[in-house]
Amino acid sequence: MVVLAALGFLVWKGLGDATVYFYRADEAVARRAELGDRRFRLEGIVVAGTTSTTDAGVAFEIEENGATVAVSHQGDPPELFRDGIPVVLEGRWEGRRFASDRILVKHSSEYRKDNPERVEDYGS
């Protein structure tokens, strides 16, 4: 019984830690206190003119629905990263700044139309 209970706890804890929630920038700002330092995914559009290189990577701002979030990203951004594109970041709040260690560039339908050789449609 004790072994089964311990195993059940480990599975529950592992699945709970593996879950990464997803929020738009405005939602994450509204829930900053609730999110604390838990890891989650943050979506927004890179604000033009805010990108700068740092010793650890890159700093920039994203916005969504009127909310702006300052981001410090550790590591190099993806090749397609630039002003005005939608991105999904993975990381956590560090004070009022979002500390990211993963950037996913979202491909818009316009990008798909202009660069069909770079995008694969799965499940088609």
Side-chain angles (χ1 to χ4, degrees):
M1 259 330 233
V2 173
V3 171
L4 285 176
L7 184 59
F9 174 77
L10 291 174
V11 168
W12 174 77
K13 181 72 173 151
L15 290 176
D17 290 347
T19 303
V20 178
Y21 292 97
F22 181 91
Y23 298 98
R24 290 187 325 260
D26 57 319
E27 294 172 322
V29 168
R31 298 177 128 186
R32 183 178 292 146
E34 174 189 336
L35 292 168
D37 65 352
R38 284 184 298 178
R39 189 169 179 81
F40 66 96
R41 287 187 176 176
L42 176 66
E43 176 187 34
I45 296 174
V46 179
V47 177
T50 63
T51 304
S52 62
T53 350
T54 66
D55 290 340
V58 65
F60 56 95
E61 293 179 357
I62 62 167
E63 65 182 355
E64 187 75 32
N65 295 327
T68 303
V69 176
V71 177
S72 60
H73 176 73
Q74 185 172 359
D76 293 327
E79 188 176 318
L80 299 174
F81 179 83
R82 66 180 189 281
D83 288 351
I85 64 165
V87 293
V88 174
L89 310 167
E90 199 166 303
R92 60 181 39 90
W93 287 116
E94 285 185 356
R96 300 193 66 75
R97 179 173 290 275
F98 187 77
S100 164
D101 58 14
R102 186 170 186 203
I103 299 175
L104 304 169
V105 175
K106 293 180 68 178
H107 298 298
S108 67
S109 57
E110 182 177 320
Y111 177 87
R112 288 176 175 273
K113 181 182 71 160
D114 294 343
N115 302 283
E117 73 284 357
R118 291 188 172 182
V119 180
E120 286 185 45
D121 285 327
Y122 292 99
S124 307

